[in-house]
Amino acid sequence: NAGVTQTPKFQVLKTGQSMTLQCAQDMNHEYMSWYRQDPGMGLRLIHYSVGAGITDQGEVPNGYNVSRSTTEDFPLRLLSAAPSQTSVYFCASLEPLGTGELFFGEGSRLTVL
Amino acid sequence: RKEVEQDPGPFNVPEGATVAFNCTYSNSASQSFFWYRQDCRKEPKLLMSVYSSGNEDGRFTAQLNRASQYISLLIRDSKLSDSATYLCVVNMRNDYKLSFGAGTTVTVRA
């Protein structure tokens, strides 16, 4: 059972480039989300989805897009990377009727030069 | 004011010691509370949920004080392996948008 899988684990981009962080879960969880983690700050919610075809903005959505075409996949797109998007990104899933536990991927470290 | 605030520490304690720290939250209507553990450069993992009556899981005890709007985590008989950052997580609006504290770092020394 793989849980939540994120790729890539590391990425370096130049300002203005675009890229997609991939996230997949095999637990059949309806809820999926993307967070970013910066030093001295808690994890901040970027976008989330409560099921296939449904997405919504979190606390810091600017500069990011998401889609949810299947229950399993929830990619995060950076449209035009900026140095302020240098961060560690975590994808997480949750089964709402369960314990409320968030299951995280291993994280993707992104550096924008 | 941040929604969830934690003392960043670090708390440096010897093996076998007891260490405790709190987390305050801003929304009195918050519904559920959790402690997550995050090891260096790793993903957060659930340590324990926090129940209204308080709860224990081995050497870990979590308490909730709704009147003063804080939760606490106590670690007894600290082990080297307890060295980590402990994240306070609060479900403030009874939806899926959990609010995270910045974490409290605990370092247990031999």
Side-chain angles (χ1 to χ4, degrees):
Chain A
N1 192 341
V4 179
T5 303
Q6 280 182 243
T7 57
K9 287 187 169 49
F10 301 93
Q11 183 72 49
V12 178
L13 290 177
K14 295 180 179 178
T15 297
Q17 287 185 316
S18 62
M19 75 157 299
T20 299
L21 299 178
Q22 302 290 346
C23 177
Q25 52 94 8
D26 61 2
M27 296 173 283
N28 203 32
H29 287 169
E30 292 294 331
Y31 176 82
M32 295 185 74
S33 54
W34 277 101
Y35 290 87
R36 61 177 287 171
Q37 187 175 34
D38 301 294
M41 305 184 74
L43 276 76
R44 291 183 292 168
L45 183 64
I46 303 171
H47 285 284
Y48 67 101
S49 168
V50 298
I54 306 169
T55 63
D56 207 345
Q57 296 181 349
E59 181 185 356
V60 287
N62 292 340
Y64 308 95
N65 272 355
V66 292
S67 60
R68 185 91 180 273
S69 56
T70 67
T71 299
E72 293 77 21
D73 299 299
F74 190 44
L76 177 72
R77 298 182 187 83
L78 279 70
L79 309 172
S80 177
S84 61
Q85 294 178 304
T86 294
S87 189
V88 181
Y89 292 85
F90 288 101
C91 178
S93 73
L94 177 152
E95 175 45 63
L97 297 180
T99 61
E101 177 180 0
L102 273 174
F103 293 87
F104 286 89
E106 293 183 337
S108 300
R109 293 184 174 275
L110 175 67
T111 301
V112 183
L113 303 175
Chain B
R1 181 187 172 189
K2 292 181 182 178
E3 291 187 325
V4 179
E5 295 203 64
Q6 296 183 247
D7 181 344
F11 288 77
N12 293 308
V13 299
E15 269 188 296
T18 296
V19 59
F21 42 89
N22 294 340
C23 159
T24 59
Y25 58 94
S26 61
N27 187 341
S28 60
S30 298
Q31 295 294 317
S32 50
F33 310 86
F34 308 89
W35 284 105
Y36 278 70
R37 170 193 170 124
Q38 186 174 26
D39 294 308
C40 188
R41 303 176 81 84
K42 298 285 190 179
E43 73 275 22
K45 293 183 179 178
L46 179 67
L47 177 67
M48 58 197 301
S49 301
V50 185
Y51 303 123
S52 296
S53 55
N55 48 298
E56 278 190 15
D57 184 0
R59 298 180 293 105
F60 297 83
T61 300
Q63 297 280 353
L64 167 63
N65 186 317
R66 285 195 181 272
S68 300
Q69 294 181 211
Y70 72 88
I71 65 172
S72 63
L73 182 67
L74 182 146
I75 308 173
R76 287 187 305 278
D77 190 22
S78 298
K79 311 292 185 189
L80 294 175
S81 58
D82 294 333
S83 297
T85 296
Y86 293 86
L87 307 178
C88 172
V89 183
V90 179
N91 186 337
M92 293 201 164
R93 290 163 288 273
N94 201 29
D95 58 16
Y96 307 125
K97 298 182 189 178
L98 301 178
S99 297
F100 284 78
T104 296
T105 298
V106 173
T107 302
V108 182
R109 62 182 188 274

